[in-house]
Amino acid sequence: TQLLEQSPQFLSIQEGENLTVYCNSSSVFSSLQWYRQEPGEGPVLLVTVVTGGEVKKLKRLTFQFGDARKDSSLHITAAQPGDTGLYLCAGAPGGTSYGKLTFGQGTILTVHP
Amino acid sequence: EAGVAQSPRYKIIEKRQSVAFWCNPISGHATLYWYQQILGQGPKLLIQFQNNGVVDDSQLPKDRFSAERLKGVDSTLKIQPAKLEDSAVYLCASSFSRGGLSTGELFFGEGSRLTVL
């Protein structure tokens, strides 16, 4: 069974601060996705990283896939209250199981104005 | 483009009762998933359909959970009889397929929140 551990589980910061969320596993994934989920809604895909060492930027969000494709990080620069939510990483085993995602337990981010 | 539709949004039942959830995926999406999200945890895959066939149901508690997607579009997830530990949000997701394989980009519905008393 492939497991993904996210840290920290909770993050409470002030507007304008920077933060990093980590997603670690002992298993190799063919790709890794990051989702954001707001209360009462389903997760929304933010990014997919597929190559070891890959870095993707989405405005103030920077995503990195580890060289060995076992870990990933999400860095947010100058956080805003609108960034508040549950951030989930999810790994795909690849092959015909693509889409059978293993999710981490999530990081609850609260950004105070 | 309409998103993934789920109903009901909320359901409260007593243990040992039955419940059914309905999902209508995004038009043209051949792959459909049901996930269970317990409070404080990430979603866990219950079952994956490709058109009307089951691709993976290895984590579906088959003694009480069942799911079907008879015409390859809408899907229903049933729990009978429900247990206290089934209290969770049941998320339906769909994805486009190429060559019979999911592209891996999942679109989730808002979920159905089940409370078992």
Side-chain angles (χ1 to χ4, degrees), chain A residues 2 25-31 65 68-70 92-93:
Chain A
Q2 296 179 307
S25 175
S26 58
S27 302
V28 175
F29 292 97
S30 65
S31 67
F65 201 11
R69 291 186 287 129
K70 293 182 179 181

Side-chain angles (χ1 to χ4, degrees), chain B residues 70-109:
Chain B
L70 292 176
K71 295 183 179 180
V73 181
D74 294 4
S75 177
T76 56
L77 175 70
K78 296 179 181 177
I79 307 174
Q80 182 179 12
K83 292 186 175 182
L84 296 177
E85 58 261 35
D86 298 333
S87 293
V89 175
Y90 290 86
L91 294 164
C92 179
S94 69
S95 66
F96 185 65
S97 299
R98 288 196 191 95
L101 296 178
S102 166
T103 59
E105 181 176 1
L106 272 61
F107 295 83
F108 284 86

Side-chain angles (χ1 to χ4, degrees), chain B residues 2-102:
Chain B
V4 176
Q6 290 189 245
S7 68
R9 288 295 311 275
Y10 306 93
K11 189 73 176 179
I12 300 174
I13 62 173
E14 295 191 347
K15 60 182 179 183
R16 291 188 289 274
Q17 287 187 324
S18 62
V19 63
F21 302 113
W22 173 82
C23 172
N24 180 238
I26 291 173
S27 178
H29 282 193
T31 312
L32 184 147
Y33 314 80
W34 283 101
Y35 280 84
Q36 179 193 58
Q37 186 174 24
I38 293 173
L39 187 65
Q41 299 181 17
K44 183 185 86 171
L45 178 68
L46 293 175
I47 189 166
Q48 177 182 348
F49 291 96
Q50 181 71 17
N51 296 306
N52 61 348
V54 176
V55 173
D56 188 331
D57 63 356
S58 57
Q59 298 190 89
L60 186 74
K62 298 181 186 63
D63 57 333
R64 298 183 301 106
F65 286 65
S66 65
E68 59 183 13
R69 194 185 183 199
L70 292 176
K71 295 183 179 180
V73 181
D74 294 4
S75 177
T76 56
L77 175 70
K78 296 179 181 177
I79 307 174
Q80 182 179 12
K83 292 186 175 182
L84 296 177
E85 58 261 35
D86 298 333
S87 293
V89 175
Y90 290 86
L91 294 164
C92 179
S94 69
S95 66
F96 185 65
S97 299
R98 288 196 191 95
L101 296 178
S102 166

Side-chain angles (χ1 to χ4, degrees), chain A residues 7-68:
Chain A
S7 61
Q9 276 193 276
F10 303 94
L11 203 48
S12 179
I13 62 172
Q14 294 296 126
E15 182 176 2
E17 293 184 1
N18 301 332
L19 66 109
T20 302
V21 177
Y22 299 93
C23 178
N24 295 295
S25 175
S26 58
S27 302
V28 175
F29 292 97
S30 65
S31 67
L32 201 134
Q33 299 178 333
W34 284 91
Y35 289 81
R36 178 165 164 258
Q37 184 176 21
E38 297 193 37
E41 298 185 9
V44 176
L45 180 65
L46 296 174
V47 77
T48 301
V49 284
V50 296
T51 305
E54 181 177 4
V55 177
K56 279 192 175 179
K57 292 192 175 183
L58 188 66
K59 297 183 181 178
R60 294 177 292 101
L61 279 61
T62 302
F63 304 86
Q64 187 163 8
F65 201 11
D67 291 341

